[in-house]
Amino acid sequence: MSEDVRDNPARHRFELMVDNHLSFSAYTIDGPVITFTHTIVPPELGGRGIGSRLIAGALAQVRARGLKVRPVCSFVRGYIERHPEMQDLLVDSPP
């Protein structure tokens, strides 16, 4: 599932294409911290779990790179709150 999510560093976002519609989560990177600023899922894809699939794939890549997460985006923050196994990625989480 996460293999469908791709990082587009030129546009500073993780992307997921489904049914010819692009969903993305924008970010900035400062050293070892990635800040997710906002996530967009087109209305045509709403209610299908596309946002969660996008963020799960993005966070898997973030973990693999050894980055910490600052979730300014409310969707990313909510996803991490609902998935305790991701909370160690938070900037303010204990080591």
Side-chain angles (χ1 to χ4, degrees):
M1 192 176 341
S2 66
E3 63 274 1
D4 296 340
V5 175
R6 70 179 194 98
D7 185 10
N8 183 340
R11 293 199 146 178
H12 307 283
R13 64 191 193 185
F14 286 94
E15 301 174 336
L16 177 62
M17 183 71 75
V18 176
D19 297 339
N20 293 317
H21 296 285
L22 180 67
S23 299
F24 66 89
S25 189
Y27 64 79
T28 60
I29 294 181
D30 184 16
V33 177
I34 184 168
T35 300
F36 285 92
T37 57
H38 64 278
T39 300
I40 301 294
V41 175
E44 297 86 355
L45 301 177
R48 294 174 49 189
I50 302 300
S52 292
R53 186 170 148 197
L54 169 64
I55 299 309
L59 292 177
Q61 293 180 47
V62 165
R63 183 182 297 284
R65 294 182 200 164
L67 298 173
K68 287 289 194 174
V69 174
R70 180 172 292 118
V72 172
C73 169
S74 60
F75 187 86
V76 175
R77 186 178 335 105
Y79 182 90
I80 292 173
E81 287 172 359
R82 289 187 309 278
H83 293 86
E85 70 278 10
M86 296 294 177
Q87 292 177 7
D88 65 308
L89 291 175
L90 292 171
V91 170
D92 299 327
S93 68

